[in-house]
Amino acid sequence: MNILIIGRGGREHAIAWKAAQSPLVSKLFIAPGNEGMRHLGQVPVELVNINENASDDLVAFALEHHIDLTIVGPEAALINGIANRFAEAGLAIFAPTREAARIEGSKQFAKDLMQKYQIPTASFRTFSQYEEAKQYLQETGAPIVIKYDGIAAGKGVVVAMTMEEADQALQDMLLDHNFGEGKVLMEAYLEGPEFSLLTLVNGRQVVPLVIAQDHKRAYDGDKGPNTGGMGAYSPVPVIPQAQIDWAIEHIMQATANAMVEEGCPFTGILYGGLMLTAQGPKVIEFNARFGDPETEVVLPKMKSDLVQHIVDLLDHKPVTPAFYEEAFLGVVMATKGYPGKYGKGFPIRHLDLVKQTVFHMGTTLKDGEYVTNGGRVLFVVGKGHTLAEAQKDAYEGVNMIECPELFYRNDIGWQAIKKA
Ligand code: AMP
Ligand code: GLY
């Protein structure tokens, strides 16, 4: 099979790396990909110089190169309807339609769906006027969570511990329109450990993968600004299997069924960002795609053939993935300044000495040498019999890499490892 992967980050590197292990795959195309993805074992790889969002060009490319299956990473392409375009052209794509991707693209849509189908989530109200939102804030008090309804690159969520913080967020979103003209959701503050549950979905068929935990804050001890994610690990021992099973049935399966009922069946990765509260698992958010960096530990943990699973799922055949027993833990190396302003083009040395798996999140080649080319740059994956061993392994890899302009968290997995 010829496979096309759309995207350019660590997530797409992990998908490509995993797909390259499948005996079904004869050639991999990645649009646009990055230079770190060129060598994936025996399978030939071609980087295609087409932007993720250029769906006309991507469709034309897929037709011309006889692409048998396309897998999409980034949400913007999904929300813009890339799956609709591929389907219209008769091309197989593992991705939700524009209508189904609303589960990520519109928080209002996701919340209304959960309310209608009794899928557990924080209670909420929606506002488009600052004065009304302010009044509601005065009634409820803090802590409270304020979310911009739309895509805001992870910055549209403010967990406000005080009235002042909450008011500031409302002013930013509803008076200054810092993210756009959208509405805001004001949501009850929930507490408990978070976990990411990725499922392969086609209509009512839901295939759960192993859960992972992400680390959203930039610095050690969960301090600093929110980021796209600074590390991840799997398994997540603080979440009991019985709670995972409950979430698979009452959250993920229930949501897939609800999407069918609503006339927008979901195909692709349905990602539940869940919190284990005192009342059981609740939804923090849904994503319509592979999580980044969760994918970079979940796919290494997968023993069975991802491409075979997707082919079977699209054929409505039963799918039973298998996973390694080992623990996997990965550390993001990011450019100093991230998630704010950062420079590019800093040389990265000794990557060839690292024996651990390294996924390239944002690198490029300059004069034959890897240099940084983004905020999140590398993802180093460790493994071991325990999470503590996997952590040690990951940091051994990190410590080999020489690039003074990179920083990373020293405590990925700390909650799990401390408790173990
Ligand atoms: P989101 O972009 O919706 O995933 O939110 C980003 C982060 O904000 C989540 O990973 C949580 O840590 C936090 N968060 C979001 N909603 C809530 C909530 N209702 N209660 C507490 N924390 C939340
Ligand atoms: N790691 C969180 C996300 O992919 O949205």
Side-chain angles (χ1 to χ4, degrees):
M1 291 175 77
N2 289 330
I3 307 270
L4 171 63
I5 295 168
I6 296 176
R8 64 175 78 198
R11 163 181 56 201
E12 290 77 17
H13 192 176
I15 297 168
W17 170 89
K18 183 65 184 162
Q21 295 166 19
S22 170
L24 295 175
V25 176
S26 40
K27 182 158 184 188
L28 276 170
F29 297 85
I30 315 174
N34 72 48
E35 290 293 338
M37 306 178 184
R38 276 201 194 272
H39 305 288
L40 298 170
Q42 302 297 315
V43 176
V45 177
E46 187 175 321
L47 301 185
V48 180
N49 190 14
I50 305 178
N51 191 284
E52 296 89 328
N53 293 312
S55 42
D56 288 342
D57 295 346
L58 289 166
V59 166
F61 180 88
L63 289 170
E64 191 182 329
H65 291 81
H66 308 287
I67 299 295
D68 300 295
L69 173 67
T70 298
I71 304 173
V72 183
E75 61 272 22
L78 301 169
I79 290 163
N80 291 334
I82 195 167
N84 306 59
R85 302 301 316 281
F86 270 67
E88 282 156 22
L91 290 161
I93 185 162
F94 184 60
T97 60
R98 179 193 293 116
E99 295 71 29
R102 284 180 298 169
I103 198 153
E104 171 164 4
S106 165
K107 292 193 192 295
Q108 178 84 53
F109 174 85
K111 282 291 196 183
D112 289 345
L113 187 87
M114 287 187 269
Q115 203 164 39
K116 180 166 171 190
Y117 292 88
Q118 286 153 27
I119 294 158
T121 189
S123 60
F124 73 102
R125 291 272 303 273
T126 312
F127 297 93
S128 50
Q129 299 300 329
Y130 170 74
E131 288 306 329
E132 287 165 26
K134 178 81 192 267
Q135 178 156 6
Y136 181 67
L137 173 63
Q138 264 142 10
E139 288 160 24
T140 55
I144 189 161
V145 181
I146 299 181
K147 300 188 177 184
Y148 177 73
D149 185 25
I151 293 296
K155 292 178 204 129
V157 176
V158 176
V159 181
M161 301 312 287
T162 64
M163 296 291 278
E164 291 70 32
E165 275 177 89
D167 187 35
Q168 187 61 53
L170 291 175
Q171 289 187 31
D172 290 347
M173 293 182 199
L174 290 175
L175 289 182
D176 299 337
H177 300 289
N178 284 352
F179 301 103
E181 295 297 315
K183 293 179 284 197
V184 303
L185 270 66
M186 296 176 71
E187 207 178 271
Y189 172 76
L190 302 177
E191 269 183 291
E194 289 179 60
F195 60 105
S196 305
L197 174 53
L198 278 64
T199 54
L200 309 175
V201 175
N202 189 15
R204 292 182 193 272
Q205 193 177 348
V206 175
V207 180
L209 307 183
V210 288
I211 66 167
Q213 192 169 70
D214 182 11
H215 293 61
K216 288 220 165 78
R217 299 300 194 105
Y219 312 131
D220 286 5
D222 289 330
K223 301 260 169 19
N226 262 316
T227 70
M230 293 299 291
Y233 63 94
S234 178
V236 188
V238 295
I239 311 294
Q241 187 59 44
Q243 301 285 359
I244 302 172
D245 293 341
W246 192 92
I248 290 167
E249 187 181 340
H250 295 95
I251 295 178
M252 307 311 292
Q253 183 68 59
T255 301
N257 293 349
M259 295 294 278
V260 174
E261 303 294 332
E262 291 297 305
C264 48
F266 190 97
T267 299
I269 298 285
L270 182 62
Y271 160 131
L274 310 179
M275 189 182 270
L276 181 53
T277 71
Q279 293 83 42
K282 291 193 180 182
V283 177
I284 295 290
E285 64 163 353
F286 282 118
N287 291 322
R289 51 168 175 87
F290 283 99
D292 192 359
E294 290 92 329
T295 303
E296 291 98 302
V297 291
V298 169
L299 292 185
K301 197 163 164 38
M302 185 186 276
K303 194 173 177 180
S304 47
D305 183 345
L306 175 68
V307 174
Q308 181 78 60
H309 292 331
I310 293 174
V311 168
D312 288 344
L313 188 69
L314 292 177
D315 276 349
H316 306 282
K317 290 186 188 147
V319 175
T320 319
F323 292 89
Y324 294 110
E325 285 297 318
E326 283 129 304
F328 289 79
L329 183 147
V331 179
V332 172
M333 300 180 76
T335 311
K336 285 178 185 165
Y338 174 80
K341 284 204 181 72
Y342 53 82
K344 285 185 181 178
F346 304 112
I348 306 167
R349 306 236 154 84
H350 307 318
L351 262 179
D352 51 327
L353 301 179
V354 181
K355 68 179 191 337
Q356 290 76 6
T357 301
V358 178
F359 294 124
H360 288 237
M361 304 183 97
T363 68
T364 191
L365 282 176
K366 195 175 155 201
D367 306 327
E369 186 177 50
Y370 282 115
V371 298
T372 69
N373 194 38
R376 294 189 296 176
V377 175
L378 295 168
F379 189 86
V380 182
V381 187
K383 66 175 178 187
H385 296 296
T386 62
L387 280 168
E389 277 181 35
Q391 187 191 52
K392 186 163 172 280
D393 191 38
Y395 283 105
E396 270 172 26
V398 168
N399 288 328
M400 297 300 293
I401 296 167
E402 201 185 287
C403 179
E405 287 302 319
L406 295 180
F407 79 99
Y408 52 86
R409 280 183 60 162
N410 293 286
D411 63 349
I412 300 304
W414 66 272
Q415 301 98 327
I417 292 164
K418 197 179 59 182
K419 286 189 179 113

